[in-house]
């Protein structure tokens, strides 16, 4: 039975790894969509540019050129495809979809990113006109006055970075983002996309795109404005830590108070499998798929009765015997049926 059962267990673990990748994909996609939609919707109504002394009729509210939207979508989707090869931690017990938990976690991730984007937009709009910049956060932080077109590139870079960092937070589920490393292909894809986004925001020429004035950050009038890509990166990373803390706290509350029936999905948290390079199986040294039974002397033996067959009287003792050891937790036939 060793060969046959090992195939079944490997298939089960691989399937649970696929489920985890699908779950990460869904949480991230919902979170990124909510962040973008809510950011531009709320930005139009609560942060009109005329309140900050901006009189350009073509910039009465904040918006991005279509080309920048296309770049965000292209780079994000290109990186997201690599999540199919990501390292995961398959659960030690069977799982099923709990969409209420999925949307709640995605909503928390989106809410933190949305808050940071709206706060940065407010600070940028407040630093365009001289009269407002004198009392703005930018001046207090030692950052010079910015151009109207640089508001666009600053928010483009911020949204791009936040989206990618959200992916690295969503992929680890209830664990911290540093709990286990991403796969090499996911890391390289995200790194390349982030470099491209940073270069676009930095070196975009002074131009008018879709009727919107756009200016690269390197064209700033002061050294502090030219260093804006670095400040934006630091700003996004700090909010990423806040986002991950909020995510872990959300999972803790879900488990602690069994919200949306979440406890039924975390019975084996301590027995989760350690991730491997894009795989969802255990090392051979941990493979205990062969069903063994012990005699009264404590020695393992196989089968029984004539021809090595197991007597019917012993079958009941096998029903709950371990099929596999998963990080210290045992997956039994009863678990498998559930």
């Amino acid at each position: 039975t060793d060969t046959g059962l090992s195939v079944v267990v490997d298939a089960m673990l691989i399937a649970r790894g696929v489920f985890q990748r699908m779950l990460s994909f869904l949480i991230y996609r919902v979170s990124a969509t909510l962040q973008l939609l809510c950011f531009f919707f709320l930005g139009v109504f609560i942060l009109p540019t005329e309140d900050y002394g901006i009189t350009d009729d073509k910039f009465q509210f904040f918006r991005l050129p279509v080309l920048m939207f296309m770049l965000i979508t292209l780079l994000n989707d290109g990186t997201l495809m690599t999540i199919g090869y990501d390292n995961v931690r398959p659960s030690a017990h069977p799982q099923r979809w709990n969409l209420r938990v999925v949307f709640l976690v995605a909503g928390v991730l989106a809410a933190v990113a949305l808050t940071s984007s709206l706060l940065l937009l407010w600070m940028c709009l407040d630093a365009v006109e001289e009269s407002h910049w004198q009392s703005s956060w930018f001046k207090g932080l030692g950052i010079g006055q910015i151009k109207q077109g640089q508001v666009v590139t600053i928010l483009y870079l911020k949204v791009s970075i936040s989206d990618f960092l959200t992916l690295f937070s969503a992929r680890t589920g209830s664990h911290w983002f540093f709990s286990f490393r991403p796969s090499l292909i996911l890391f390289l894809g995200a790194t390349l996309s982030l470099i491209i986004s940073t270069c676009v925001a930095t070196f975009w020429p002074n131009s008018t795109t879709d009727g919107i004035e756009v200016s690269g950050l390197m064209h700033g009038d002061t050294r502090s404005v030219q260093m804006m890509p670095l400040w934006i990166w630091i700003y996004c990373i700090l909010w990423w830590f806040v986002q991950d803390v909020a995510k872990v706290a959300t999972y803790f509350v879900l488990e602690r108070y069994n919200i949306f029936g979440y406890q039924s999905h975390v019975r084996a948290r301590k027995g989760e499998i350690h991730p491997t390079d894009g795989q969802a199986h255990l090392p051979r040294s941990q493979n205990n798929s062969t069903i063994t039974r012990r005699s009264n002397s404590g020695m393992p033996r196989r089968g029984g009765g004539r021809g090595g067959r197991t007597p019917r009287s012993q079958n009941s003792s096998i029903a709950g015997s371990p099929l596999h050891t998963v990080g210290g937790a045992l997956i039994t036939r009863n678990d498998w049926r559930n």
Side-chain angles (χ1 to χ4, degrees):
T1 59
D2 186 11
T3 303
L5 286 176
S6 65
V7 172
V8 172
V9 172
D10 284 345
M12 177 179 61
L13 297 179
I14 291 172
R16 292 179 184 177
V18 172
F19 182 90
Q20 289 296 331
R21 295 184 182 100
M22 294 173 61
L23 185 62
S24 299
F25 173 89
L26 182 58
I27 290 176
Y28 168 72
R29 177 49 63 199
V30 173
S31 175
T33 302
L34 286 175
Q35 178 195 173
L36 285 174
L37 289 178
C38 294
F39 171 63
F40 290 103
F41 177 79
L42 294 176
V44 169
F45 291 101
I46 68 177
L47 294 172
T49 58
E50 61 182 11
D51 291 350
Y52 302 91
I54 301 175
T55 57
D56 188 353
D57 293 338
K58 297 181 179 179
F59 197 65
Q60 295 180 352
F61 54 88
F62 174 79
R63 64 186 189 277
L64 288 178
V66 176
L67 181 58
M68 286 188 168
F69 267 122
M70 292 177 60
L71 285 174
I72 291 175
T73 303
L74 178 63
L75 295 176
N76 283 357
D77 289 351
T79 302
L80 194 57
M81 288 190 295
T82 63
I83 204 171
Y85 304 92
D86 190 23
N87 299 331
V88 294
R89 282 186 175 180
S91 173
H93 284 268
Q95 293 177 289
R96 60 183 176 85
W97 289 106
N98 190 332
L99 293 182
R100 292 179 296 179
V101 171
V102 169
F103 280 91
L104 176 61
V105 174
V108 170
L109 293 174
V112 176
L114 170 64
T115 301
S116 63
S117 296
L118 289 174
L119 179 61
L120 183 59
L121 175 59
W122 170 69
M123 290 190 294
C124 288
L125 292 176
D126 208 29
V128 173
E129 296 297 326
E130 176 72 22
S131 58
H132 287 75
W133 175 75
Q134 292 294 336
S135 59
S136 68
W137 276 49
F138 271 30
K139 184 177 181 180
L141 295 172
I143 301 175
Q145 186 178 352
I146 62 175
K147 302 175 183 177
Q148 176 180 309
Q150 289 170 339
V151 176
V152 176
T153 51
I154 288 174
L155 269 298
Y156 162 77
L157 180 58
K158 194 280 170 190
V159 170
S160 297
I161 295 175
S162 290
D163 276 356
F164 287 112
L165 295 183
T166 299
L167 173 60
F168 286 104
S169 184
R171 61 175 290 274
T172 56
S174 59
H175 304 277
W176 300 103
F177 70 88
F178 52 80
S179 298
F180 52 94
R181 61 183 176 84
S183 64
L184 180 60
I185 186 173
L186 174 61
F187 178 77
L188 292 178
T191 301
L192 178 61
S193 297
L194 286 168
I195 291 174
I196 293 175
S197 297
T198 303
C199 290
V200 168
T202 304
F203 301 108
W204 191 287
N206 293 325
S207 60
T208 301
T209 306
D210 295 335
I212 305 172
E213 181 183 338
V214 183
S215 179
L217 298 176
M218 68 169 295
H219 303 297
D221 296 330
T222 62
R223 183 65 175 173
S224 60
V225 175
Q226 295 173 356
M227 293 289 291
M228 277 301 296
L230 175 60
W231 310 140
I232 296 170
W233 266 94
I234 295 174
Y235 179 84
C236 291
I237 290 174
L238 291 177
W239 275 98
W240 181 35
F241 294 153
V242 176
Q243 186 182 50
D244 208 57
V245 169
K247 179 203 69 174
V248 173
T250 300
Y251 276 111
F252 174 80
V253 172
L254 285 171
E255 182 178 357
R256 177 68 176 82
Y257 299 101
N258 194 26
I259 301 174
F260 300 143
Y262 179 73
Q263 283 186 1
S264 62
H265 302 284
V266 294
R267 291 178 300 165
R269 170 168 296 180
K270 295 182 180 179
E272 286 179 327
I273 304 167
H274 295 288
T276 56
D277 295 335
Q279 302 296 324
H281 61 273
L282 287 175
R284 287 296 177 185
S285 60
Q286 296 182 3
N287 193 334
N288 297 328
S289 58
T290 302
I291 299 177
T292 60
R293 296 179 303 283
R294 295 182 178 274
S295 62
N296 294 332
S297 62
M299 297 297 294
R301 58 188 178 88
R302 298 173 182 266
R306 291 185 301 173
R309 295 183 179 179
T310 303
R312 186 179 302 273
S313 61
Q314 296 181 2
N315 285 341
S316 58
S317 64
I318 302 176
S321 61
L323 287 175
H324 216 287
T325 300
V326 182
L330 297 180
I331 297 178
T332 66
R333 292 190 176 188
N334 292 333
D335 291 328
W336 190 20
R337 291 193 185 99
N338 294 332

